[in-house]
Amino acid sequence: MHLGALPYAMKHLGLSAPVYATEPVFRLGLLTMYDYFLSRWQVADFDLFTLDDIDAAFQNVVRLKYSQNHLLNDKGEGIVIAPHVSGHLLGGTVWKITKDGEDVVYAVDFNHRKERHLNGTALGSFVRPAVLITDAYNALNNQVYKRQQDQDFIDSMVKVLASGGSVLLPVDTAGRVLELLLIMEQYWAQRHLVYPIYFLTNVSTSTVDYVKSFLEWMSDSISKSFEHTRDNAFLLRYVSLIINKEELEKLGDAPKVVLASMASLEVGFSHDIFVEMANEAKNLVLFTEKGQFGTLARMLQVDPPPKAVKVTMGKRIPLVGDELKAYEEEQERIKKEELLKASLSKDEELKASHGSNAKASDPMVVDASSSRKSSNAGSHVGGNVDILIDGFVPSTTSFAPMFPFFENTADWDDFGEVINPDDYMMKQDEMDNNMMLGAGDGMDGKLDEGSARLLLDSAPSKVISNEMTVQVKCSLAYMDFEGRSDGRSVKSVIAHVAPLKLVLVHGSAEATEHLKMHCAKNSDLHVYAPQIEETIDVTSDLCAYKVQLSEKLMSNVISKKLGEHEIAWVDAEVGKVDEKLNLLPPSSTPSAHKSVLVGDLKLADFKQFLANKGLQVEFAGGALRCGEYITVRKIGDSNQKGSTGSQQIVIEGPLCEDYYKIRELLYSQFFLL
């Protein structure tokens, strides 16, 4: 599910099902949603969801580690899911879903290339899954070499900076921007550049603080560097983290690089800075990802300047004067109406309770079960003494007013008052809430100061906005730093994984059709390319059934130890017991089965074994030459995919004493059933 849809779905659809993600996706996704909400809230009366909705949605996230098998419950019983490295984002995953021994691999947005802060995808480690679901997003694109791309990226910015201009990079909050930060850190250090770089979001400091603690989720080079030198790659030396525009305003028109959210240019700091920079031809707006359809970023990429565009500038300000007075009066009126409704509702409840409860008809009767018992309860009937105002005649529609008095006493021992430790223990859910950057506590000091003041103080405010026309004279450029495998690599990965069935999603019609035709032409797998909201059936052609081993059968089975496992040959019949399939003892005596050799022989180990037996042995042409006449070799593809490998061990040579001796030694390396 897209992060932006999560709080909306939780709020409006009443979703409570768990969402599975890694720890970096959970933490950085939470910050991304905070930044998105604040960027919208600052310029409009945004009510699609609130910060509380974001917190509630993310409380349903179950955090998993890479390669961790997680067994689903309830409706998902029997299904095992496991996240693996996608190489696209920090903590990003491809999912392996296993049911009845068959694997479904969901791999959308993966990157095979190793980057500065990420390893390449683990998709290549999967072999022959039943279904592979992947995307055709980049099927028509072929990327240049990464080193050349990085140099072009830096050169394009330095050229603008050297001529007195500034560079704006509209970026995401905590995704691909991490790779851009490391690229700029590296080249600024190598070229001794002094132009300031700013990373500007509502949560930039929190983002980098979290990222510093996620080194184990990053590339091997970053992890090893930290282990050996304690050098954290995200201790940024050339990038300044800011959460408001004040520092940028101090620089004026001085050359600088600003990485600002949001990438769409619709709202957020990137929107405001774009408006300020757009009318200067010396400036550059550098896009590192394709803009989403219908956004200002996409419009500028498709139809580059010079041109005029209409933008809406909005700002949230506190209410003052007559507006504040009118707002307070309206809130007071609403509050009184709510109190009146609550009072009427309470009277109705009391009347109903008074009519149905016989004890309540007598105002002198006190319900001892609802009162708190004091320590000297044995000396008072009911446990408490209640005082009634003498001479007061209660209303027939309500309880008599009672003024209970409870004597607060505590238990004492030889050391003083007895303390209950549970009263001072923080509950787990409270600890989790404190760890999460909630709207009330954790966000203070980590947001734009003006936004935090308006948001956290809950002062009455309003949004003022106006439309204006901006003459876009600055330069625009696009370089692909989205971190997805290109078409050539996607085709290679699909051929390597060799799924039985392939499902293509998330791509243009042209890209999807191109990849579909390529796979159909170069392999015999079934390829599906469903349209939006189209349902397809990719059920396996194999039938899998769950059967139980009956106690009667297992009591007669003799198991033999093989490494960490026990194996046995079983002859049985399938039958039903309590409507469940069971393996039962055969009704008649089964025929003798052929001998089965179980094990996995490595020729290198067998060579050492024969040498220890005093035989002359050596490798020759990929086979094991034993003595003068006998050769032992493996036949079959050692890289064959699937669980039904076809490797065989063959002994070649004349029938002589060495032949039988080597065969006997070979058999001894296997387990006979």
Side-chain angles (χ1 to χ4, degrees), residues 393-524:
V393 180
S395 170
T396 58
T397 61
S398 64
F399 289 114
M402 306 297 289
F403 300 90
F405 170 76
F406 305 112
E407 183 181 1
N408 293 322
T409 61
D411 294 333
W412 291 72
D413 58 17
D414 295 338
F415 301 96
E417 184 178 348
V418 176
I419 301 298
N420 182 10
D422 293 339
D423 295 338
Y424 299 90
M425 294 293 292
M426 181 178 288
K427 296 180 180 180
Q428 185 63 39
D429 55 352
E430 294 176 352
M431 295 175 63
D432 292 341
N433 288 337
N434 289 338
M435 290 178 64
M436 296 176 66
L437 299 178
D441 300 320
M443 296 177 64
D444 192 11
K446 297 180 179 179
L447 307 175
D448 177 278
E449 293 175 4
S451 304
R453 183 174 62 254
L454 289 174
L455 185 67
L456 302 179
D457 294 344
S458 64
S461 61
K462 69 174 182 179
V463 173
I464 56 174
S465 60
N466 65 291
E467 287 192 358
M468 58 184 298
T469 300
V470 177
Q471 297 294 332
V472 183
K473 300 178 182 178
C474 65
S475 302
L476 295 182
Y478 168 71
M479 293 187 180
D480 183 6
F481 282 91
E482 295 188 50
R484 294 184 178 91
S485 292
D486 60 6
R488 180 172 54 248
S489 302
V490 169
K491 295 170 186 175
S492 176
V493 169
I494 292 175
H496 177 75
V497 175
L500 298 177
K501 295 180 181 180
L502 176 67
V503 180
L504 301 177
V505 297
H506 187 45
S508 65
E510 296 80 8
T512 302
E513 184 63 23
H514 170 79
L515 188 55
K516 180 180 179 181
M517 295 300 296
H518 171 83
C519 294
K521 180 180 179 181
N522 294 278
S523 62
D524 58 352

Side-chain angles (χ1 to χ4, degrees), residues 98-103 544:
T98 304
K99 178 71 164 65
D100 294 334
E102 291 191 324
D103 296 334

Side-chain angles (χ1 to χ4, degrees), residues 328-342:
E328 291 175 344
E329 291 176 351
E330 177 65 16
Q331 293 300 308
E332 186 66 24
R333 184 187 64 80
I334 294 174
K335 184 178 181 180
K336 289 181 178 179
E337 289 182 355
E338 291 177 349
L339 289 175
L340 180 60
K341 289 180 180 179

Side-chain angles (χ1 to χ4, degrees), residues 50 118 171 182 194 250 391 407 426 578 629 661 663-664:
T50 66
L118 294 176
V171 295
L182 292 187
V194 296
K250 294 178 183 177
E407 183 181 1
M426 181 178 288
D578 297 332
Y629 305 107
K661 183 177 181 179
R663 187 181 70 173
E664 182 179 356

Side-chain angles (χ1 to χ4, degrees), residues 80-81 119 124 136 149 313 340 359 383 476 478 491 576 658:
V80 178
I81 63 174
N119 287 323
Q149 183 187 38
M313 298 297 295
L340 180 60
K359 291 173 64 179
L476 295 182
Y478 168 71
K491 295 170 186 175
K576 275 191 175 183
D658 286 347

Side-chain angles (χ1 to χ4, degrees), residues 80-220:
V80 178
I81 63 174
H84 296 268
V85 179
S86 72
H88 173 56
L89 295 173
L90 182 60
T93 55
V94 297
W95 291 92
K96 180 181 178 183
I97 307 164
T98 304
K99 178 71 164 65
D100 294 334
E102 291 191 324
D103 296 334
V104 175
V105 178
Y106 181 83
V108 174
D109 293 340
F110 63 86
N111 187 10
H112 70 288
R113 296 200 299 190
K114 183 177 180 180
E115 297 185 312
R116 284 170 176 78
H117 80 298
L118 294 176
N119 287 323
T121 182
L123 184 57
S125 63
F126 299 121
V127 290
R128 204 68 173 164
V131 181
L132 171 63
I133 303 173
T134 190
D135 64 89
Y137 185 84
N138 263 350
L140 295 177
N141 301 328
N142 290 320
Q143 299 170 345
V144 299
Y145 290 109
K146 181 168 178 55
R147 179 174 296 181
Q148 182 63 45
Q149 183 187 38
D150 294 348
Q151 290 180 353
D152 293 343
F153 172 68
I154 298 298
D155 290 342
S156 63
M157 289 191 294
V158 172
K159 181 179 179 181
V160 171
L161 295 169
S163 62
S166 295
V167 181
L168 168 64
L169 284 81
V171 295
D172 51 24
T173 302
R176 295 299 304 171
V177 66
L178 302 179
E179 181 72 10
L180 298 177
L181 293 175
L182 292 187
I183 293 174
M184 299 175 75
E185 279 279 313
Q186 176 184 333
Y187 279 90
W188 251 244
Q190 289 179 354
R191 300 188 182 186
H192 307 289
L193 301 175
V194 296
Y195 303 108
I197 306 172
Y198 295 97
F199 179 33
L200 173 59
T201 74
N202 289 296
V203 292
S204 60
T205 53
S206 300
T207 298
V208 175
D209 285 345
Y210 271 126
V211 170
K212 289 176 184 175
S213 64
F214 290 145
L215 299 185
E216 72 272 18
W217 298 84
M218 298 185 190
S219 64
D220 296 337

Side-chain angles (χ1 to χ4, degrees), residues 309-615:
V309 296
K310 288 186 177 181
V311 297
T312 301
M313 298 297 295
K315 184 179 182 181
R316 184 173 290 274
I317 60 174
L319 294 180
V320 294
D322 294 339
E323 289 183 327
L324 178 59
K325 184 178 179 181
Y327 174 84
E328 291 175 344
E329 291 176 351
E330 177 65 16
Q331 293 300 308
E332 186 66 24
R333 184 187 64 80
I334 294 174
K335 184 178 181 180
K336 289 181 178 179
E337 289 182 355
E338 291 177 349
L339 289 175
L340 180 60
K341 289 180 180 179
S343 178
L344 293 175
S345 175
K346 186 175 182 180
D347 286 344
E348 291 294 331
E349 292 177 0
L350 291 175
K351 185 185 296 184
S353 176
H354 181 74
S356 61
N357 190 348
K359 291 173 64 179
S361 63
D362 186 355
M364 295 300 295
V365 176
V366 179
D367 186 1
S369 64
S370 63
S371 61
R372 184 179 58 184
K373 294 183 179 181
S374 63
S375 61
N376 57 347
S379 62
H380 300 282
V381 177
N384 298 299
V385 179
D386 297 279
I387 304 173
L388 174 66
I389 298 177
D390 188 26
F392 180 83
V393 180
S395 170
T396 58
T397 61
S398 64
F399 289 114
M402 306 297 289
F403 300 90
F405 170 76
F406 305 112
E407 183 181 1
N408 293 322
T409 61
D411 294 333
W412 291 72
D413 58 17
D414 295 338
F415 301 96
E417 184 178 348
V418 176
I419 301 298
N420 182 10
D422 293 339
D423 295 338
Y424 299 90
M425 294 293 292
M426 181 178 288
K427 296 180 180 180
Q428 185 63 39
D429 55 352
E430 294 176 352
M431 295 175 63
D432 292 341
N433 288 337
N434 289 338
M435 290 178 64
M436 296 176 66
L437 299 178
D441 300 320
M443 296 177 64
D444 192 11
K446 297 180 179 179
L447 307 175
D448 177 278
E449 293 175 4
S451 304
R453 183 174 62 254
L454 289 174
L455 185 67
L456 302 179
D457 294 344
S458 64
S461 61
K462 69 174 182 179
V463 173
I464 56 174
S465 60
N466 65 291
E467 287 192 358
M468 58 184 298
T469 300
V470 177
Q471 297 294 332
V472 183
K473 300 178 182 178
C474 65
S475 302
L476 295 182
Y478 168 71
M479 293 187 180
D480 183 6
F481 282 91
E482 295 188 50
R484 294 184 178 91
S485 292
D486 60 6
R488 180 172 54 248
S489 302
V490 169
K491 295 170 186 175
S492 176
V493 169
I494 292 175
H496 177 75
V497 175
L500 298 177
K501 295 180 181 180
L502 176 67
V503 180
L504 301 177
V505 297
H506 187 45
S508 65
E510 296 80 8
T512 302
E513 184 63 23
H514 170 79
L515 188 55
K516 180 180 179 181
M517 295 300 296
H518 171 83
C519 294
K521 180 180 179 181
N522 294 278
S523 62
D524 58 352
L525 65 141
H526 300 282
V527 184
Y528 303 86
Q531 301 296 319
I532 296 177
E533 297 186 356
E534 179 184 352
T535 301
I536 61 174
D537 184 1
V538 290
T539 305
S540 173
D541 298 331
L542 302 176
C543 296
Y545 299 92
K546 287 185 177 180
V547 295
Q548 295 181 347
L549 300 176
S550 65
E551 293 183 5
K552 185 180 293 187
L553 174 68
M554 294 305 296
S555 63
N556 297 322
V557 171
I558 300 176
S559 300
K560 298 181 180 180
K561 191 75 173 177
L562 178 62
E564 299 178 355
H565 307 281
E566 291 185 356
I567 62 173
W569 181 279
V570 176
D571 291 299
E573 294 180 354
V574 178
K576 275 191 175 183
V577 177
D578 297 332
E579 299 302 321
K580 294 182 179 179
L581 293 179
N582 276 254
L583 286 182
L584 306 172
S587 56
S588 59
T589 303
S591 58
H593 63 270
K594 295 182 179 180
S595 298
V596 177
L597 296 176
V598 180
D600 182 19
L601 178 71
K602 295 181 179 179
L603 291 183
D605 295 340
F606 189 51
K607 174 181 179 293
Q608 184 64 40
F609 177 74
L610 294 179
N612 293 338
K613 295 294 183 180
L615 295 174

